[in-house]
Short mmCIF file of all heavy atoms in Angstrom, two decimals:
data_model
loop_
_atom_site.label_atom_id
_atom_site.label_comp_id
_atom_site.label_asym_id
_atom_site.label_seq_id
_atom_site.Cartn_x
_atom_site.Cartn_y
_atom_site.Cartn_z
N ALA V 1068 -8.47 64.78 -24.74
CA ALA V 1068 -9.78 64.19 -25.00
C ALA V 1068 -10.00 63.07 -24.00
O ALA V 1068 -9.07 62.36 -23.61
CB ALA V 1068 -9.83 63.66 -26.42
N PRO V 1069 -11.26 62.89 -23.56
CA PRO V 1069 -11.53 61.79 -22.63
C PRO V 1069 -11.31 60.45 -23.32
O PRO V 1069 -11.44 60.34 -24.54
CB PRO V 1069 -13.00 61.98 -22.25
CG PRO V 1069 -13.59 62.78 -23.36
CD PRO V 1069 -12.47 63.63 -23.89
N ALA V 1070 -10.97 59.46 -22.53
CA ALA V 1070 -10.72 58.13 -23.07
C ALA V 1070 -12.03 57.58 -23.65
O ALA V 1070 -13.10 57.77 -23.07
CB ALA V 1070 -10.21 57.20 -21.99
N PRO V 1071 -11.97 56.94 -24.79
CA PRO V 1071 -13.21 56.42 -25.38
C PRO V 1071 -13.77 55.27 -24.54
O PRO V 1071 -13.02 54.50 -23.94
CB PRO V 1071 -12.77 55.92 -26.76
CG PRO V 1071 -11.31 55.68 -26.64
CD PRO V 1071 -10.81 56.65 -25.61
N THR V 1072 -15.09 55.22 -24.50
CA THR V 1072 -15.73 54.14 -23.75
C THR V 1072 -15.64 52.86 -24.58
O THR V 1072 -15.74 52.91 -25.81
CB THR V 1072 -17.21 54.46 -23.48
OG1 THR V 1072 -17.85 54.70 -24.73
CG2 THR V 1072 -17.34 55.68 -22.60
N PRO V 1073 -15.42 51.73 -23.94
CA PRO V 1073 -15.30 50.49 -24.70
C PRO V 1073 -16.63 50.14 -25.37
O PRO V 1073 -17.70 50.34 -24.79
CB PRO V 1073 -14.89 49.45 -23.67
CG PRO V 1073 -15.29 50.02 -22.36
CD PRO V 1073 -15.27 51.50 -22.52
N ARG V 1074 -16.54 49.64 -26.57
CA ARG V 1074 -17.75 49.25 -27.28
C ARG V 1074 -18.24 47.91 -26.76
O ARG V 1074 -17.44 47.03 -26.46
CB ARG V 1074 -17.46 49.13 -28.77
CG ARG V 1074 -17.14 50.47 -29.39
CD ARG V 1074 -16.81 50.36 -30.82
NE ARG V 1074 -17.85 49.60 -31.51
CZ ARG V 1074 -17.86 49.38 -32.82
NH1 ARG V 1074 -16.89 49.83 -33.56
NH2 ARG V 1074 -18.82 48.70 -33.38
N PRO V 1075 -19.55 47.75 -26.66
CA PRO V 1075 -20.05 46.45 -26.19
C PRO V 1075 -19.76 45.39 -27.24
O PRO V 1075 -19.84 45.64 -28.44
CB PRO V 1075 -21.55 46.67 -26.03
CG PRO V 1075 -21.88 47.85 -26.87
CD PRO V 1075 -20.64 48.68 -26.92
N SER V 1076 -19.40 44.23 -26.78
CA SER V 1076 -19.11 43.14 -27.71
C SER V 1076 -20.18 42.07 -27.57
O SER V 1076 -20.82 41.93 -26.52
CB SER V 1076 -17.73 42.55 -27.44
OG SER V 1076 -17.70 42.02 -26.13
N MET V 1077 -20.35 41.32 -28.60
CA MET V 1077 -21.38 40.29 -28.61
C MET V 1077 -20.83 39.05 -27.91
O MET V 1077 -19.70 38.64 -28.18
CB MET V 1077 -21.73 39.97 -30.06
CG MET V 1077 -22.86 39.06 -30.24
SD MET V 1077 -23.28 39.10 -31.98
CE MET V 1077 -24.94 38.61 -31.88
N PRO V 1078 -21.61 38.48 -27.01
CA PRO V 1078 -21.11 37.29 -26.32
C PRO V 1078 -20.98 36.12 -27.30
O PRO V 1078 -21.83 35.91 -28.15
CB PRO V 1078 -22.16 37.01 -25.25
CG PRO V 1078 -23.39 37.65 -25.75
CD PRO V 1078 -22.96 38.82 -26.57
N LEU V 1079 -19.90 35.40 -27.18
CA LEU V 1079 -19.68 34.25 -28.05
C LEU V 1079 -20.19 32.98 -27.39
O LEU V 1079 -20.19 32.86 -26.16
CB LEU V 1079 -18.19 34.11 -28.36
CG LEU V 1079 -17.56 35.27 -29.11
CD1 LEU V 1079 -16.07 35.07 -29.22
CD2 LEU V 1079 -18.20 35.40 -30.48
N ALA V 1080 -20.63 32.07 -28.21
CA ALA V 1080 -21.15 30.80 -27.68
C ALA V 1080 -20.00 29.95 -27.15
O ALA V 1080 -18.87 30.03 -27.64
CB ALA V 1080 -21.88 30.05 -28.78
N ASP V 1081 -20.30 29.14 -26.16
CA ASP V 1081 -19.30 28.25 -25.58
C ASP V 1081 -19.04 27.11 -26.56
O ASP V 1081 -19.95 26.37 -26.91
CB ASP V 1081 -19.81 27.72 -24.24
CG ASP V 1081 -18.78 26.86 -23.53
OD1 ASP V 1081 -17.58 26.98 -23.90
OD2 ASP V 1081 -19.15 26.10 -22.64
N PRO V 1082 -17.80 26.97 -27.03
CA PRO V 1082 -17.55 25.93 -28.03
C PRO V 1082 -17.64 24.52 -27.47
O PRO V 1082 -17.74 23.55 -28.23
CB PRO V 1082 -16.13 26.22 -28.50
CG PRO V 1082 -15.52 27.12 -27.50
CD PRO V 1082 -16.64 27.78 -26.76
N SER V 1083 -17.66 24.35 -26.15
CA SER V 1083 -17.72 22.99 -25.60
C SER V 1083 -19.12 22.42 -25.69
O SER V 1083 -19.28 21.20 -25.69
CB SER V 1083 -17.24 22.99 -24.14
OG SER V 1083 -18.10 23.80 -23.37
N THR V 1084 -20.15 23.26 -25.76
CA THR V 1084 -21.51 22.72 -25.86
C THR V 1084 -21.82 22.43 -27.33
O THR V 1084 -21.40 23.16 -28.21
CB THR V 1084 -22.55 23.72 -25.32
OG1 THR V 1084 -22.44 24.92 -26.06
CG2 THR V 1084 -22.33 23.99 -23.86
N PRO V 1085 -22.55 21.34 -27.61
CA PRO V 1085 -22.88 21.03 -29.00
C PRO V 1085 -23.80 22.10 -29.59
O PRO V 1085 -24.54 22.76 -28.88
CB PRO V 1085 -23.58 19.68 -28.92
CG PRO V 1085 -23.95 19.48 -27.52
CD PRO V 1085 -23.05 20.35 -26.68
N ARG V 1086 -23.75 22.20 -30.85
CA ARG V 1086 -24.48 23.27 -31.54
C ARG V 1086 -25.98 23.12 -31.35
O ARG V 1086 -26.70 24.09 -31.20
CB ARG V 1086 -24.12 23.24 -33.02
CG ARG V 1086 -24.85 24.27 -33.82
CD ARG V 1086 -24.25 24.41 -35.14
NE ARG V 1086 -23.87 25.81 -35.19
CZ ARG V 1086 -23.44 26.45 -36.23
NH1 ARG V 1086 -23.25 25.81 -37.32
NH2 ARG V 1086 -23.16 27.70 -36.19
N ALA V 1087 -26.48 21.93 -31.38
CA ALA V 1087 -27.91 21.71 -31.24
C ALA V 1087 -28.40 22.12 -29.86
O ALA V 1087 -29.53 22.52 -29.68
CB ALA V 1087 -28.26 20.26 -31.51
N GLY V 1088 -27.53 22.02 -28.86
CA GLY V 1088 -27.95 22.33 -27.50
C GLY V 1088 -27.82 23.80 -27.14
O GLY V 1088 -28.30 24.23 -26.09
N ARG V 1089 -27.21 24.56 -27.96
CA ARG V 1089 -27.03 25.98 -27.66
C ARG V 1089 -28.34 26.73 -27.82
O ARG V 1089 -29.13 26.45 -28.69
CB ARG V 1089 -26.01 26.61 -28.61
CG ARG V 1089 -24.63 26.11 -28.41
CD ARG V 1089 -23.70 26.87 -29.34
NE ARG V 1089 -22.44 26.15 -29.46
CZ ARG V 1089 -21.61 26.26 -30.44
NH1 ARG V 1089 -21.87 27.07 -31.44
NH2 ARG V 1089 -20.49 25.59 -30.46
N ARG V 1090 -28.50 27.71 -26.98
CA ARG V 1090 -29.65 28.58 -27.12
C ARG V 1090 -29.25 29.74 -28.03
O ARG V 1090 -28.10 30.14 -28.07
CB ARG V 1090 -30.07 29.12 -25.77
CG ARG V 1090 -30.64 28.03 -24.87
CD ARG V 1090 -31.18 28.59 -23.62
NE ARG V 1090 -32.07 29.71 -23.96
CZ ARG V 1090 -32.93 30.25 -23.13
NH1 ARG V 1090 -33.00 29.78 -21.92
NH2 ARG V 1090 -33.68 31.24 -23.47
N SER V 1091 -30.20 30.25 -28.71
CA SER V 1091 -29.92 31.34 -29.63
C SER V 1091 -29.60 32.60 -28.85
O SER V 1091 -30.11 32.84 -27.76
CB SER V 1091 -31.15 31.58 -30.52
OG SER V 1091 -30.96 32.74 -31.29
N LEU V 1092 -28.74 33.43 -29.42
CA LEU V 1092 -28.44 34.72 -28.80
C LEU V 1092 -29.60 35.70 -28.96
O LEU V 1092 -29.72 36.65 -28.21
CB LEU V 1092 -27.18 35.32 -29.44
CG LEU V 1092 -25.90 34.55 -29.20
CD1 LEU V 1092 -24.78 35.19 -29.99
CD2 LEU V 1092 -25.57 34.56 -27.72
N PHE V 1093 -30.42 35.44 -29.97
CA PHE V 1093 -31.53 36.34 -30.24
C PHE V 1093 -32.83 35.64 -29.89
O PHE V 1093 -33.01 34.46 -30.19
CB PHE V 1093 -31.52 36.75 -31.72
CG PHE V 1093 -30.25 37.42 -32.11
CD1 PHE V 1093 -29.29 36.74 -32.82
CD2 PHE V 1093 -30.00 38.73 -31.74
CE1 PHE V 1093 -28.11 37.35 -33.18
CE2 PHE V 1093 -28.82 39.35 -32.09
CZ PHE V 1093 -27.88 38.66 -32.80
N PRO V 1094 -33.77 36.35 -29.30
CA PRO V 1094 -35.03 35.69 -28.94
C PRO V 1094 -35.85 35.37 -30.19
O PRO V 1094 -35.71 36.00 -31.22
CB PRO V 1094 -35.73 36.74 -28.09
CG PRO V 1094 -35.15 38.03 -28.52
CD PRO V 1094 -33.74 37.75 -28.91
#
């Protein structure tokens, strides 16, 4: 069987930036 394609993963927020300054992952 062909090798399975990797599933896309959700990008994680950078923990060094404060939460208030982060942009949302969703528009």
Side-chain angles (χ1 to χ4, degrees):
T1072 57
R1074 293 178 51 177
S1076 61
M1077 187 169 204
L1079 297 174
D1081 184 19
S1083 62
T1084 59
R1086 179 166 238 189
R1089 293 183 196 157
R1090 292 186 50 165
S1091 172
L1092 295 174
F1093 302 102

